[in-house]
Amino acid sequence: MTSKIARYWEQFLESLPAGGDPPPRCVEDFSFGTDPEDAAEIAELVIRGTKTATGSLLWALESDHKHRPCPGDHWIVTRGRDDPACVIRTLDAQVIPFDEVGVEYAHRGGEGDRTLASWRAMYWDYITWECARIRREPHEKAPLVMETFQVVYSEPLKR
């Protein structure tokens, strides 16, 4: 974690009620999208509660030796590198083949026009890009880790 991200995590922990059990750790910080412009735009969708779900290609998580999201995990969403936007907590995560992801996830994904058709087009591009990166063949049964989450902290970083 960078110093700004670490400070943001500490700020979140300090905001929690005394006497409770704090989250054991932040899994990692990350940004949505493929560039800083996307990251900032999507972070705002998360903060506003428009985006409450996301998906990751299971093969990419395995290839990168990354943590598979689990209920109770905490993550810091950034507006791009080193610019914390909020802390989210995973509510649910399940593996679903790409072609079986339903309307609810598309809507909760919060991007585009929130239809299943729009979601499938966007995620097919993502799957194709990730598969090229990890040298796998994309197909409609590609396993996605579909995650729902909630924002648990969204105060600005104190300077």
Side-chain angles (χ1 to χ4, degrees):
M1 268 191 241
T2 66
S3 62
K4 281 174 103 176
I5 299 300
R7 282 192 354 250
Y8 195 72
W9 181 251
E10 288 301 316
Q11 182 178 305
F12 162 63
L13 292 177
E14 289 170 5
S15 77
L16 298 174
D21 289 330
R25 67 185 175 97
C26 172
V27 174
E28 70 179 9
D29 61 282
F30 73 97
S31 58
F32 290 102
T34 57
D35 58 50
E37 203 171 277
D38 283 349
E41 182 179 312
I42 298 170
E44 293 310 310
L45 292 174
V46 171
I47 291 168
R48 287 196 310 260
T50 304
K51 181 174 185 62
T52 60
T54 193
S56 303
L57 183 63
L58 179 60
W59 299 332
L61 293 174
E62 292 170 345
S63 176
D64 296 339
H65 307 286
K66 291 221 171 189
H67 176 81
R68 182 171 153 181
C70 298
D73 285 347
H74 286 73
W75 312 77
I76 296 176
V77 176
T78 68
R79 293 179 186 90
R81 186 164 180 81
D82 204 35
D83 186 8
C86 63
V87 176
I88 61 173
R89 181 172 58 88
T90 302
L91 300 175
D92 184 54
Q94 47 187 306
V95 177
I96 302 174
F98 168 74
D99 65 348
E100 295 178 28
V101 173
V103 173
E104 181 183 345
Y105 271 111
H107 183 76
R108 293 185 78 180
E111 297 172 68
D113 64 7
R114 301 176 80 176
T115 64
L116 185 56
S118 170
W119 182 91
R120 286 187 192 260
M122 178 181 61
Y123 264 79
W124 186 251
D125 288 346
Y126 161 71
I127 289 168
T128 302
W129 179 81
E130 283 283 38
C131 283
R133 184 180 68 80
I134 63 173
R135 296 185 174 99
R136 294 239 9 198
E137 190 66 34
H139 62 78
E140 292 192 353
K141 291 291 183 192
L144 296 175
V145 179
M146 298 305 297
E147 174 185 4
T148 58
F149 58 83
Q150 70 180 44
V151 174
V152 295
Y153 186 76
S154 61
E155 293 298 314
L157 177 64
K158 296 174 185 168
R159 302 291 168 192

